[in-house]
Amino acid sequence: MNEIKDSALAGVTVVVTRPREQAGEMIAKLEERKACPYVLPLIRTVWADDLTPLDRALQHLESYDAVLFTSVNAVRYFFRRAGELAAADGTEGIVSRLKRLFVAAVGPTTARALHKHGLSRVHVPPDYKQEGLVALLKDGLKPESRLLYPRAKVVRPYLLDQLRQSGYVVEDVIIYQTQYATDNKETFVQDLKKGRIDVITFTSASTVKAFDQLLNVHNISKKDLAVTVACIGPVTAKEAEKRGLAVQVVAKEHTIAGLIDALEVFYSLQR
């Protein structure tokens, strides 16, 4: 309680750029620290254009040795489609079929999303990164194993490249895509220009790209931004820096909790 009472984030306005349906955890944790969350969804997700590959994979899950999930959205869309198929043609028991496979998640948040569907045994790399996920698979699977990788349309190519170079047979199935949600943001732009924003957070490269687009639309120079830029991990930070943003905070633990802890430390040092 004393830690929360004395939080260095008390009164700090922190922009949450995640999709609205995924912002709840971060908002709650910021409010615990007495910060002022500012909800600004900069991206949204929609189904992939063609779900035929996903439908085929769901119907033949037994042909795979492992399934890899690298985002909560992948879990959400995967199980939503599985539920739709179950209602349509009697495909049932998705969880019991998955339990026979090696199921891996890139981080604890994605793992928790799987746990909510009844999958208790989920393998998670200790570094919560794709690099760690590759090492984890090498420890748990033989080369030539068949892997199902349900993913977003645009992803970092590292994981696919490494898995295939390691000898795995990977079926990467696009199940959702990310769109920018930068319309109707005039109020935020005015708040930004008037110095009412203290921190903007980025939890993915997509949110960075969307923010960059928003600044360009409103002719706002990144050099003139008087805000703290905080990123969930080095990949996101690299994207921000590539686009001219000065990143002051990068979480050591690449989770929402880790990001807020990093912000707390940063503001503690500013006192």
Side-chain angles (χ1 to χ4, degrees):
M1 291 297 289
N2 288 336
E3 179 184 347
I4 294 174
K5 180 180 178 182
D6 299 334
S7 171
L9 292 178
V12 175
T13 300
V14 181
V15 176
V16 178
T17 56
R18 310 197 85 196
R20 189 174 296 277
E21 66 272 16
Q22 293 180 302
E25 177 192 3
M26 190 165 184
I27 293 170
K29 289 186 181 300
L30 286 169
E31 289 176 341
E32 287 176 3
R33 307 290 180 102
K34 307 301 181 187
C36 304
Y38 190 116
V39 181
L40 182 80
L42 287 179
I43 58 173
R44 54 177 170 255
T45 60
V46 298
W47 285 109
D49 295 330
D50 182 8
L51 296 181
T52 305
L54 173 60
D55 292 352
R56 186 166 55 240
L58 286 167
Q59 290 160 358
H60 299 284
L61 266 183
E62 291 78 5
S63 67
Y64 301 101
D65 298 295
V67 185
L68 317 179
F69 293 94
T70 56
S71 72
V72 171
N73 282 323
V75 175
R76 186 159 62 94
Y77 280 94
F78 183 90
F79 279 92
R80 184 186 297 178
R81 187 60 179 167
E84 291 174 354
L85 287 181
D89 63 14
T91 302
E92 297 177 345
I94 186 76
V95 173
S96 62
R97 294 160 69 200
L98 281 171
K99 284 180 177 176
R100 302 188 192 106
L101 309 180
F102 186 102
V103 178
V106 73
T109 304
T110 305
R112 282 196 295 274
L114 290 163
H115 294 162
K116 290 178 181 177
H117 287 284
L119 285 168
S120 57
R121 188 180 182 188
V122 177
H123 302 272
V124 180
D127 63 357
Y128 306 158
K129 294 164 59 178
Q130 291 188 5
E131 286 78 355
L133 189 56
V134 173
L136 177 74
L137 293 173
K138 287 182 177 178
D139 289 339
L141 295 172
K142 298 177 181 177
E144 301 180 358
S145 295
R146 297 195 73 236
L147 312 184
L148 174 60
Y149 176 26
R151 64 173 176 88
K153 184 175 182 179
V154 178
V155 295
R156 190 162 64 109
Y158 173 86
L159 183 59
L160 267 177
D161 292 346
Q162 290 297 310
L163 293 176
R164 285 173 170 156
Q165 288 175 18
S166 300
Y168 299 117
V169 179
V170 184
E171 186 161 357
D172 64 304
V173 176
I174 299 170
I175 62 174
Y176 73 98
Q177 51 193 323
T178 300
Q179 298 177 341
Y180 297 157
T182 54
D183 52 331
N184 300 320
K185 299 295 187 288
E186 286 75 13
T187 300
F188 167 75
V189 169
Q190 290 305 313
D191 287 340
L192 183 66
K193 289 180 176 177
K194 292 179 180 178
R196 295 170 180 159
I197 305 297
D198 298 309
V199 180
I200 183 160
T201 60
F202 298 111
T203 54
S204 69
S206 296
T207 57
V208 173
K209 295 172 185 175
F211 185 67
D212 187 28
Q213 182 187 69
L214 181 67
L215 295 183
N216 290 336
V217 168
H218 291 275
N219 296 314
I220 299 174
S221 169
K222 290 185 252 322
K223 293 181 180 179
D224 297 332
L225 286 180
V227 297
T228 299
V229 176
C231 296
I232 198 167
V235 175
T236 303
K238 186 177 179 180
E239 184 67 38
E241 289 169 346
K242 187 176 79 175
R243 291 172 181 273
L245 292 168
V247 178
Q248 291 98 334
V249 178
V250 181
K252 292 181 179 178
E253 181 183 294
H254 313 314
T255 64
I256 296 301
L259 177 57
I260 293 173
D261 285 344
L263 271 175
E264 179 90 49
V265 170
F266 177 81
Y267 272 88
S268 297
L269 295 174
Q270 306 304 308
R271 286 179 168 178

